[in-house]
Amino acid sequence: MKLRLLVVAVLFAMGCGTESEQDSTPPDGESDSFVIAEDSKSDANGVQEGSYEAICVLNFANTASRDEIYDVLHRWPADGLWEARNGVDAEPGTADDVTFTTVEQVDDVDWVGFFSFRAMRNYAEENGLCPTLGEETVFEGEDALADEIARLSEEEIQKNFANDTLARRDAHAKAHGCVRANVTIDNSGLDPDERIGVFAENRQYPAWIRFSNGNPVIQNDTERDARGMAIKLMEVPGDKVLERHRQELTQDFLLINGPAFFVRTPEDYLEFTKNAFDGEALSFFFDLNPLEWNIRELTNALQILLAKPASPIMQYWSTTPYALGEGAAVKYTAKPCGDIDSGFPDDAPFDFMSQTLAERLAEGPECFDFMLQRQLDPAVMPIEDSTIAWDDSEFVKVATIDIEQQTFLSDEQVEFCENLSFNPWHTLPEHKPLGNINRTRRVVYDAISLMRHELNMAPRAEPTGHIVFD
Ligand code: HEM
């Protein structure tokens, strides 16, 4: 069964099949199933809910006219789809018409299977029914999931606060330090219509950068973990996206040390985060049945976790996409200007990431190239799946991040650092976060930041410039 699905999936991916082939193709079997079951974790076969293909098929199934349906599909699946869409009264345009919200519902229609899916996908692509560059698709139930993730995270913070002096972030809890930086824009690699937002002018922005470990728990830096680099530009004019942040002069970029994220959907993030709070983050990727493992997610996670950084001076990526104006999307990376040392020091102490950073910045400055890569093809560089890296798009340098020689570990600066809130939605509309994971973050980051500041009785204010604490 799996082998058969694999073969049809490969054919599907090749996009083969022409009108004349469709005519001579027998209808799909009545009970053929082509969509990955909802509870299946494997992504080796079939069409995945939320994927580019799934969005194309759903758009066709929900909006195609009767003539289009009968032109594109064989008579039997066309009958099935048309009848299913019209509801019990069999009349189009009445109150009981059905809108398909999952491809599994389309797959459940009699006689709709692999060949019908391929025909619907191809027609949708040729007729503008598939996502275009920078286009988002909002899925049913997202808001409720974001609320649920926020509620769970708040509970966890409350629980941990009972045994701690501080209410900490439930993600990226441990900071290695906040350092002063200057970000100098060089937009010469951008097209004129891409010179917008913070890339509009070749100017310098003062910035704060917070380096962190990803885990909810403060642990030894030699433990396998994601590493974060959060950049906050200041003196950025213009109204920002969030109501609460509208008049602030900050623009944030959040990056981690892998090119692709290890969670595909808000549902999966909820499952992942439940496991992470139980100290079992890795069990999200596995199942008793190896065919049900989250293979792509696991590969992405391993790339992040197997890195053994010698210091926070390493390469980081946004993993999720961001608008660059209308109808265009990009991802970001920050790459050290010089060589990257890797390998934990032999005698690595508990906080060696902040110690190595402190040693390096005591000796001299550090620098990163800040680059973006453009979304070139919405099918292979999807907006709604951040587990897929945009490997075929080259990075273009747009700024240099200079971190001057400095100290940053005074008690006052550590407290200042703890009280900062980095949020991808602290942004100009030109750089609006895109995709399901980013939409979830819009709800969660604000809720968590509000809560921990309240519990810590700390001011929740955006910085307006560099402060020298020592
Ligand atoms: C649904 C998905 C995600 C959720 C719910 C989530 C949640 C959170 C939360 C609650 C925080 C702490 C915020 C605060 O208290 O100020 C945080 C921090 C962070 N997240 Fe995420 N996150 C998600 C996805 C991502 C992704 C895709 C990245 C990739 C770049 C990322 C990178 C970071 C970084 C770097 C920080 C630390 C920011 C800092 O230094 O303050 N997160 N995340």
Side-chain angles (χ1 to χ4, degrees):
M1 179 66 174
K2 287 271 172 198
L3 185 63
R4 190 177 64 85
L5 282 174
L6 183 63
V7 171
V8 291
V10 168
L11 286 171
F12 185 88
M14 289 164 68
C16 47
T18 60
E19 266 327 297
S20 59
E21 269 176 343
Q22 279 166 32
D23 292 343
S24 59
T25 300
D28 298 341
E30 183 173 10
S31 56
D32 264 6
S33 179
F34 187 55
V35 174
I36 294 171
E38 223 172 300
D39 58 352
S40 169
K41 293 183 170 195
S42 164
D43 61 359
N45 311 309
V47 174
Q48 220 170 11
E49 294 291 352
S51 64
Y52 173 84
E53 284 77 13
I55 298 167
C56 301
V57 167
L58 272 181
N59 285 346
F60 176 89
N62 284 322
T63 64
S65 67
R66 186 178 191 285
D67 285 352
E68 284 174 313
I69 290 176
Y70 281 88
D71 276 355
V72 170
L73 301 181
H74 189 278
R75 168 91 189 279
W76 295 356
D79 281 346
L81 190 68
W82 184 242
E83 282 164 21
R85 219 172 80 177
N86 291 336
V88 182
D89 69 1
E91 284 296 320
T94 55
D96 74 340
D97 283 6
V98 169
T99 302
F100 300 103
T101 54
T102 65
V103 267
E104 199 169 9
Q105 292 166 347
V106 181
D107 197 30
D108 282 346
V109 171
D110 285 353
W111 302 107
V112 169
F114 164 69
F115 292 108
S116 309
F117 264 76
R118 189 183 62 185
M120 287 191 277
R121 189 254 206 214
N122 289 348
Y123 183 88
E125 196 153 53
E126 283 156 19
N127 290 277
L129 296 175
C130 290
T132 52
L133 289 175
E135 189 182 344
E136 291 184 278
T137 307
V138 178
F139 304 107
E140 202 178 69
E142 274 186 16
D143 290 350
L145 280 163
D147 288 343
E148 175 68 4
I149 294 167
R151 194 192 54 75
L152 198 75
S153 305
E154 284 168 351
E155 260 177 38
E156 185 71 9
I157 290 175
Q158 283 277 14
K159 195 176 88 192
N160 293 339
F161 185 49
N163 309 312
D164 201 339
T165 48
L166 265 186
R168 299 182 192 276
R169 289 166 177 75
D170 71 293
H172 294 261
K174 183 174 180 180
H176 309 311
C178 286
V179 297
R180 291 184 305 277
N182 285 302
V183 177
T184 310
I185 305 295
D186 173 0
N187 62 17
S188 56
L190 296 180
D191 297 336
D193 61 341
E194 295 173 322
R195 295 176 189 168
I196 51 178
V198 296
F199 308 121
E201 280 174 54
N202 287 334
R203 53 158 287 192
Q204 197 172 70
Y205 297 98
W208 285 101
I209 296 178
R210 180 179 189 267
F211 292 102
S212 60
N213 284 346
N215 208 278
V217 173
I218 307 278
Q219 57 185 10
N220 194 312
D221 291 344
T222 53
E223 294 290 330
R224 301 289 181 192
D225 206 345
R227 318 289 168 166
M229 177 184 189
I231 306 163
K232 189 180 284 295
L233 305 190
M234 295 175 286
E235 300 179 6
V236 178
D239 283 0
K240 309 301 184 298
V241 170
L242 293 184
E243 181 64 40
R244 201 197 295 284
H245 188 252
R246 186 120 326 145
Q247 305 302 326
E248 302 288 358
L249 295 176
T250 45
Q251 161 79 42
D252 297 356
F253 295 99
L254 274 68
L255 315 173
I256 53 170
N257 64 319
F261 200 45
F262 44 86
V263 175
R264 202 175 73 87
T265 63
E267 287 95 323
D268 284 354
Y269 192 89
L270 183 61
E271 190 188 334
F272 168 79
T273 216
K274 281 180 183 162
N275 290 329
F277 290 158
D278 292 340
E280 302 283 341
L282 282 180
S283 57
F284 163 74
F285 302 101
F286 300 107
D287 189 278
L288 285 177
N289 175 1
L291 290 173
E292 302 295 305
W293 288 6
N294 283 329
I295 298 292
R296 190 165 64 233
E297 287 85 339
L298 178 64
T299 312
N300 294 349
L302 288 178
Q303 184 169 0
I304 291 167
L305 296 177
L306 293 182
K308 290 175 110 192
S311 83
I313 307 299
M314 57 197 296
Q315 187 168 2
Y316 301 86
W317 291 260
S318 69
T319 72
T320 52
Y322 294 82
L324 187 57
E326 290 296 318
V330 296
K331 291 189 182 185
Y332 299 108
T333 190
K335 186 176 181 192
C337 305
D339 294 339
I340 303 170
D341 299 334
S342 67
F344 295 143
D346 290 340
D347 52 347
F350 193 86
D351 294 327
F352 89 87
M353 290 286 268
S354 66
Q355 288 184 23
T356 48
L357 184 63
E359 281 161 22
R360 291 178 74 128
L361 289 177
E363 278 167 26
E366 295 288 345
C367 123
F368 286 82
D369 288 338
F370 188 70
M371 300 184 267
L372 59 77
Q373 61 176 171
R374 301 172 177 100
Q375 185 197 25
L376 302 175
D377 177 343
V380 291
M381 301 177 195
I383 294 291
E384 299 298 340
D385 187 346
S386 296
T387 61
I388 299 177
W390 295 357
D391 290 332
D392 294 334
S393 178
E394 65 175 349
F395 277 103
V396 178
K397 183 174 172 183
V398 286
T400 306
I401 302 172
D402 288 302
I403 307 175
E404 65 195 25
Q405 187 172 10
Q406 60 189 283
T407 57
F408 58 90
L409 290 175
S410 71
D411 290 349
E412 293 77 10
Q413 189 155 345
V414 168
E415 189 184 337
F416 163 81
C417 185
E418 193 56 39
N419 289 334
L420 289 180
S421 296
F422 290 87
N423 180 337
W425 286 89
H426 286 170
T427 180
L428 289 167
E430 291 89 329
H431 310 302
K432 186 186 146 201
L434 301 176
N436 57 358
I437 291 292
N438 274 337
R439 290 192 294 275
T440 305
R441 295 166 91 188
R442 180 172 184 150
V443 176
V444 180
Y445 282 61
D446 200 41
I448 298 314
S449 166
L450 264 178
M451 178 178 210
R452 60 187 182 81
H453 283 81
E454 222 172 272
L455 292 174
N456 292 336
M457 289 187 286
R460 192 164 177 269
E462 288 296 287
T464 52
H466 284 155
I467 312 166
V468 179
F469 286 88
D470 294 326

